Amino acid sequence: MQTKKRTSVRKEEIVAAALQIVGERGVRGLTIAAIASRAEMSDANIYRHFKGKREILAALGDFVGEAVMGKAVRVAARRIDPLAKLAAIFRSHTALVAATPGLPRFIFSEELHHGDRQLAASVAGRMGHYVETLGGIIAEGVGSGLFRRDLSPRETAITMLGMIQFTALRWSISQRSFSLEREAARLWENFEKLLLESAAAGRAGEKTMEGA
Amino acid sequence: MQTKKRTSVRKEEIVAAALQIVGERGVRGLTIAAIASRAEMSDANIYRHFKGKREILAALGDFVGEAVMGKAVRVAARRIDPLAKLAAIFRSHTALVAATPGLPRFIFSEELHHGDRQLAASVAGRMGHYVETLGGIIAEGVGSGLFRRDLSPRETAITMLGMIQFTALRWSISQRSFSLEREAARLWENFEKLLLESAAAGRAGEKTMEGA
DNA sequence: TTGTTATGTAAATGTGCATTCACATCGGAG
DNA sequence: CTCCGATGTGAATGCACATTTACATAACAA
């Protein structure tokens, strides 16, 4: 009647199903029954592969943490200029959110941060690591003179991450009523300017948009 | 045995109790029983004053929306320079979050955005209004030449709001493990620089921090 | 083949929670 | 003072959900 699969396979199926459900029905809708139904197995079978719901949440946390951070760290190690690194990270983060709409909600959900101290700490740690990685890239840009000299790397990194997260949350909340890509493009274009010296200032503020 | 009070009074007590609970136990912990206990009344009595939980959530949404937006609009109308306006809004928003730790969680909670279409729309609308208000102030600063000429008002407003929200969420998630005020001060100091022309650029990049 | 283990399920169990019910009693209008 | 509507409560009620139980059966080694 049923096809049996190895538990490693089932775990992946369960995590994938859970991610879809969070995207569609939110973390509130992430019930064992919903996961089981989506992954085409019985509720009880979930417990053959995970000790309980908490363990599923932890697996989700690991998955998305690895997806976001892994990419950022790889980009940071490339031999391209800092602005290109930040742009790449921004783009890939945005793309990940677009592909996994449940992600922003999940990252900040109480289900994740309330029950499990260890899981909460792990996510917080990853977020701190992310900020450090971005901060490092920004410091690099400041040091090389590409970015404004007066930028504070850590605070600028937080500002950039806040811009991403806030937009992701707004998108999620609004039922994806706007184009995440378009909005992200606009935001990045503006943010990039903030990182660099003003073109106008280079010419000592003369002759820039006389009218307006 | 009990002192009876007018329903208008009870409504206020219930909203106040709910806000406290969200701050302490999150939106997940916001149960009718918890509210009733905190407001010192029976569970059933809650229903004398609110039709149901959804109506309580709506009242909370109105309350915090009014608190945040009301202040922002009043500040925007003052006769001070745009930078001072933004700083005042930033400070008051931060102070409100510090006084009402449940606020960031609540604003983005699924409980708020999932069940009730109308409530979700109302909150989204208020958020858009907030962005517009900030954007207006920034446009003012750009127009007067106080801010960088190349700022995009709306995108810069979203960036600023993202910075606030992300920090508020991190603070909430981390069990308030850092000083919100200190972090906010650092972020604002940096953001203010981003809005203005670089001091270094004014002098064409010469002689600024030779050592480093 | 046979036995063992991992994998699978339907049905029960128990809990937490929103909401309702049936029955008081306070406080003001007359 | 005397009602009556507004306010108050303990005890149901019912549902949604995580988890457990008791019982199959596929997969595979020997």
Side-chain angles (χ1 to χ4, degrees):
Chain A
M1 195 181 272
Q2 350 73 321
T3 327
K4 295 192 177 181
K5 297 181 185 174
R6 268 178 291 137
T7 200
S8 63
V9 174
R10 285 304 196 195
K11 278 190 172 178
E12 285 173 13
E13 293 178 352
I14 289 168
V15 167
L19 270 179
Q20 284 178 33
I21 291 170
V22 173
E24 289 164 16
R25 291 182 248 174
V27 186
R28 260 196 351 168
L30 187 67
T31 66
I32 296 292
I35 298 170
S37 157
R38 174 65 57 111
E40 292 178 313
M41 65 183 77
S42 68
D43 298 18
N45 197 28
I46 298 277
Y47 292 89
R48 290 273 176 239
H49 311 292
F50 287 98
K51 191 169 180 334
K53 196 174 176 180
R54 179 158 303 172
E55 209 174 273
I56 297 176
L57 292 174
L60 279 178
D62 286 347
F63 182 88
V64 303
E66 185 43 44
V68 175
M69 268 310 297
K71 180 74 182 182
V73 167
R74 280 193 301 279
V75 169
R78 285 189 199 156
R79 286 219 209 77
I80 53 179
D81 74 84
L83 189 58
K85 287 184 186 176
L86 290 182
I89 290 174
F90 181 84
R91 253 185 285 109
S92 84
H93 193 142
T94 301
L96 182 64
V97 169
T100 320
L103 203 140
R105 280 280 179 78
F106 175 72
I107 286 295
F108 292 113
S109 72
E110 288 178 351
E111 277 74 10
L112 192 153
H113 293 285
H114 220 75
D116 195 335
R117 267 226 174 301
Q118 200 159 3
L119 180 53
S122 140
V123 169
R126 264 198 269 258
M127 216 181 273
H129 193 2
Y130 199 24
V131 168
E132 275 173 34
T133 303
L134 291 180
I137 297 173
I138 292 168
E140 192 190 331
V142 169
S144 77
L146 175 61
F147 295 165
R148 294 176 59 143
R149 299 250 166 209
D150 54 357
L151 287 187
S152 168
R154 179 171 169 279
E155 281 66 35
T156 305
I158 290 174
T159 303
M160 171 174 158
L161 204 44
M163 178 176 81
I164 298 177
Q165 297 286 14
F166 181 54
T167 300
L169 280 171
R170 273 192 309 131
W171 185 62
S172 177
I173 281 171
S174 73
Q175 320 282 323
R176 289 153 229 164
S177 66
F178 57 88
S179 159
L180 181 61
E181 273 124 25
R182 205 150 31 203
E183 180 80 339
R186 277 193 291 260
L187 285 166
W188 182 253
E189 189 190 358
N190 186 61
F191 190 75
E192 223 173 41
K193 286 183 204 153
L194 296 182
L195 294 174
L196 307 173
E197 299 288 357
S198 160
R203 303 201 162 241
E206 31 141 4
K207 202 193 68 175
T208 46
M209 297 244 169
E210 310 190 34
Chain B
M1 191 180 272
Q2 351 71 321
T3 326
K4 293 193 176 177
K5 297 180 185 173
R6 267 178 292 136
T7 200
S8 64
V9 174
R10 285 303 196 198
K11 278 189 172 177
E12 286 173 12
E13 292 178 352
I14 289 169
V15 167
L19 271 178
Q20 285 177 33
I21 291 171
V22 173
E24 290 164 16
R25 290 183 249 172
V27 185
R28 263 197 350 168
L30 187 67
T31 66
I32 295 293
I35 298 170
S37 158
R38 174 65 55 108
E40 293 179 313
M41 66 182 78
S42 67
D43 298 18
N45 196 28
I46 298 277
Y47 292 88
R48 291 272 177 239
H49 309 293
F50 286 99
K51 191 169 180 333
K53 196 174 178 182
R54 179 159 303 175
E55 209 174 274
I56 297 177
L57 292 174
L60 279 178
D62 286 347
F63 182 88
V64 303
E66 184 44 44
V68 175
M69 268 310 296
K71 181 73 182 182
V73 168
R74 280 193 302 279
V75 169
R78 285 190 199 155
R79 286 220 208 75
I80 54 180
D81 74 84
L83 189 59
K85 285 182 187 178
L86 289 183
I89 290 174
F90 181 84
R91 254 185 284 109
S92 84
H93 194 142
T94 302
L96 181 65
V97 169
T100 320
L103 203 142
R105 280 281 178 76
F106 176 71
I107 285 296
F108 291 113
S109 71
E110 287 176 353
E111 278 74 10
L112 192 153
H113 294 284
H114 219 76
D116 195 334
R117 268 229 174 300
Q118 200 159 3
L119 180 51
S122 140
V123 169
R126 264 198 269 260
M127 217 180 269
H129 194 0
Y130 198 24
V131 168
E132 275 173 35
T133 303
L134 291 179
I137 296 174
I138 292 169
E140 192 189 333
V142 169
S144 76
L146 175 61
F147 295 165
R148 295 175 58 143
R149 298 251 167 207
D150 54 357
L151 287 186
S152 168
R154 177 172 171 277
E155 280 65 36
T156 305
I158 289 174
T159 303
M160 169 173 160
L161 204 45
M163 178 177 81
I164 298 177
Q165 297 285 15
F166 180 54
T167 301
L169 279 171
R170 273 192 310 132
W171 185 63
S172 176
I173 280 170
S174 73
Q175 320 283 322
R176 288 152 230 165
S177 67
F178 58 87
S179 160
L180 181 62
E181 272 125 23
R182 204 147 35 200
E183 181 80 338
R186 278 193 289 260
L187 285 165
W188 182 254
E189 190 190 358
N190 187 61
F191 190 74
E192 223 172 43
K193 286 182 204 152
L194 296 182
L195 294 174
L196 307 173
E197 297 289 356
S198 161
R203 301 198 165 246
E206 31 142 6
K207 203 194 70 176
T208 46
M209 297 245 171
E210 311 190 36

